[in-house]
Amino acid sequence: MDLMEKLAILTDSAKYDVACTSSGAGNHNPVGMGIGSTVDCGICHTFSADGRCISLLKVLMTNRCVYNCQYCVNRCSNDVPRAAFTPQELAELTMEFYRRNYIEGLFLSSGVERNPDYATEQMLYTLQLLRQTYHFTGYIHAKAIPGADERLVEQLGALANRLSVNIELPSSRSLTLLAPNKTKQAILAPMGQICEKITESKALVRYKHAPKFAPAGQSTQMIVGASPETDFQILNLTQSLYRKFHLKRVFFSAYIPVSESSLLPSPDTKPPLLREHRLYQADWLLRYYQFEAQEILDEANPNFNPFLDPKCNWAVNHLDQFPIEVNRATLEQLLRVPGIGPVSARRIVTARRHGALDEAALKRLGVVMKRAQFFITCKGRMKKGLRLAPQTVVKALMDNHPLAQTEQMSLFDLPAVQAQREAAACIGKQI
């Protein structure tokens, strides 16, 4: 098998891993030394075999795997073409792609060939060649394999800008059922180790030549839709991971049927892309809007509303806290208003020091008044003609959703209109 055949197989096998951002890495190249650099804005593109955006080479060391995870295309029982790079091949390939300006960095993961230690050693040799032999100082994101020796993980973190350990499934029960070779403890142990080493590294930041350990932090990925956990369970786990391991990101990947198994949803099942989108929106609320997971969802309502984003849904169910006066509300209160984000909230707090704000001023500051108008007052007044009633607010917010367009005169009810009516009635009953 030649190098390009290996590349086609191993880039295609890597496309299911979505945790490949590099925000926050500032590994600048000293003048006259080394090749490549990455700046604080980060790299977030990928390289794939079908020619899509090529900025970060996203590839597996090998797709040979001794594990039999039911949801994985590379599991040992699946009949797919197998390939493996040698460390020298992959290092040379990365450098050649960089010199041709195809890529700016490397995203490296691997199947578990033989055992976790062997797979990690192969990745480690590749990174050593890039850093020490080719003097490549560009961005590298490496996957730490659960079960690998702590010393190997430590060496990997000393060479990579970011490390990630995929938690894969939201519960121990699903992990035991669908990935019998993996355990919760084996996954969380390296996450804890990486967190400790990053903390130690940051404590030495005042020393100019102190070695840096994974300076861009760590992340993880969760598969959504392969197991029966609710959105509430997934969101609670996400919050716990942020707090315990100080992750940069938790990525969500909608389950794509790549094989048949009685333990998985039907092969005809469509990937739950809207659910994945709602989880990312809720994740944003946890990280930037000071929400708690228990506020967004609860045991009585464990799944997201498909017609309203999580922030709007929360606001509609807490109309007793609105409207708020934008000229007096705290930053925390402003962040709870649909249509007001962290940037516009801070702009409001700064701008109102120089005078009271009206609707026109809020628009100039970046507030989306189409949503915010139902939840705020300016100088003690709401927009003329608005009614703060649940059904009115819900219908106005739902009109922005592609599945729930504004109803028009018709002899027959279109499916979208019927869906809108049913959803509005359902929400009205909950309120």
Side-chain angles (χ1 to χ4, degrees):
M1 186 179 293
D2 64 30
L3 202 59
M4 292 311 295
E5 288 177 323
K6 290 182 181 181
L7 181 65
I9 292 171
L10 296 174
T11 52
D12 185 66
S13 297
K15 68 184 179 182
Y16 299 103
D17 200 321
V18 298
C20 60
T21 63
S22 59
S23 300
N27 193 21
H28 296 281
N29 185 7
V31 177
M33 297 176 62
I35 296 174
S37 66
T38 178
V39 295
D40 292 330
C41 60
I43 306 166
C44 57
H45 302 295
T46 61
F47 178 90
S48 62
D50 59 3
R52 286 174 293 175
C53 193
I54 47 174
S55 184
L56 192 67
L57 176 59
K58 183 179 174 184
V59 68
L60 296 183
M61 194 81 206
T62 179
N63 66 344
R64 297 170 185 161
C65 192
V66 297
Y67 288 176
N68 197 32
C69 304
Q70 297 297 307
Y71 50 81
C72 182
V73 68
N74 299 314
R75 71 183 191 277
C76 61
S77 62
N78 202 19
D79 185 18
V80 295
R82 304 287 177 172
F85 284 120
T86 65
Q88 186 67 39
E89 284 176 339
L90 187 53
E92 289 180 358
L93 185 69
T94 301
M95 293 308 301
E96 288 300 320
F97 275 23
Y98 180 83
R99 292 186 180 108
R100 287 173 171 81
N101 202 30
Y102 291 165
I103 61 168
E104 298 174 76
L106 174 67
F107 177 94
L108 182 58
S109 186
S110 180
V112 183
E113 185 177 9
R114 300 189 191 178
N115 56 63
D117 284 347
Y118 178 81
T120 304
E121 285 172 354
Q122 296 301 299
M123 296 170 66
L124 185 58
Y125 293 154
T126 304
L127 268 57
Q128 287 172 342
L129 284 170
L130 285 169
R131 296 300 197 200
Q132 298 166 10
T133 302
Y134 294 105
H135 306 292
F136 179 74
T137 56
Y139 176 82
I140 296 178
H141 180 162
K143 279 301 180 74
I145 299 176
D149 189 274
E150 291 183 0
R151 291 169 294 182
L152 293 174
V153 175
E154 186 173 343
Q155 292 178 60
L156 201 64
L159 296 170
N161 297 88
R162 172 172 285 185
L163 288 179
S164 57
V165 185
N166 282 359
I167 199 167
E168 304 289 10
L169 296 169
S171 70
S172 298
R173 181 180 178 183
S174 294
L175 202 63
T176 302
L177 188 66
L178 299 176
N181 303 101
K182 298 179 181 179
T183 64
K184 177 182 176 182
Q185 182 57 35
I187 294 172
L188 297 184
M191 292 178 75
Q193 179 194 356
I194 293 168
C195 178
E196 290 177 6
K197 296 299 295 184
I198 291 174
T199 303
E200 290 175 10
S201 179
K202 288 180 178 178
L204 299 173
V205 70
R206 53 186 157 178
Y207 302 105
K208 185 177 180 180
H209 299 291
K212 295 180 180 179
F213 185 91
Q218 71 166 319
S219 59
T220 191
Q221 176 181 325
M222 221 180 295
I223 298 172
V224 178
S227 52
E229 288 80 17
T230 64
D231 296 330
F232 180 55
Q233 290 173 290
I234 294 173
L235 203 59
N236 269 308
L237 175 59
T238 300
Q239 180 174 269
S240 299
L241 291 173
Y242 280 129
R243 291 179 175 177
K244 187 173 182 179
F245 301 113
H246 308 293
L247 301 185
K248 289 290 186 180
R249 287 293 303 273
V250 174
F251 292 89
F252 306 100
S253 177
Y255 169 68
I256 300 173
V258 292
S259 60
E260 293 186 15
S261 172
S262 59
L263 301 174
L264 292 169
S266 167
D268 299 328
T269 303
K270 293 183 179 180
L273 298 178
L274 180 58
R275 186 183 181 191
E276 176 191 291
H277 178 59
R278 293 290 183 234
L279 281 165
Y280 275 119
Q281 289 177 319
D283 173 79
W284 207 261
L285 295 182
L286 294 179
R287 292 189 295 130
Y288 296 110
Y289 290 79
Q290 303 177 16
F291 274 81
E292 298 284 330
Q294 292 77 12
E295 294 180 278
I296 302 170
L297 294 171
D298 53 39
E299 293 182 357
N301 299 286
N303 293 306
F304 291 113
N305 186 331
F307 293 96
L308 295 178
D309 70 69
K311 189 178 181 183
C312 288
N313 193 58
W314 177 87
V316 167
N317 285 288
H318 294 81
L319 287 178
D320 57 303
Q321 300 185 26
F322 299 103
I324 63 170
E325 172 55 51
V326 292
N327 291 294
R328 293 192 300 271
T330 63
L331 179 64
E332 291 74 18
Q333 289 176 315
L334 290 171
L335 287 172
R336 299 286 171 124
V337 177
I340 298 181
V343 174
S344 53
R346 287 191 291 269
R347 287 174 178 170
I348 289 171
V349 172
T350 301
R352 69 190 183 187
R353 296 171 186 166
H354 307 286
L357 304 177
D358 57 15
E359 184 179 338
L362 292 178
K363 287 182 178 179
R364 289 195 297 271
L365 294 174
V367 175
V368 183
M369 291 302 297
K370 192 169 185 178
R371 294 199 295 271
Q373 61 185 347
F374 298 99
F375 306 99
I376 61 172
T377 59
C378 299
K379 301 178 183 178
R381 297 179 181 178
M382 289 188 71
K383 186 176 180 180
K384 188 176 180 180
L386 284 183
R387 293 174 54 209
L388 192 61
Q391 290 79 6
T392 304
V393 176
V394 167
K395 188 177 186 304
L397 294 174
M398 283 174 58
D399 284 344
N400 296 323
H401 196 284
L403 297 179
Q405 297 298 327
T406 304
E407 183 175 357
Q408 298 181 357
M409 295 294 290
S410 174
L411 293 175
F412 305 98
D413 281 336
L414 298 175
V417 175
Q418 186 62 28
Q420 176 186 2
R421 286 179 170 176
E422 292 174 359
C426 180
I427 296 172
K429 290 178 182 178
Q430 291 178 2
I431 298 170

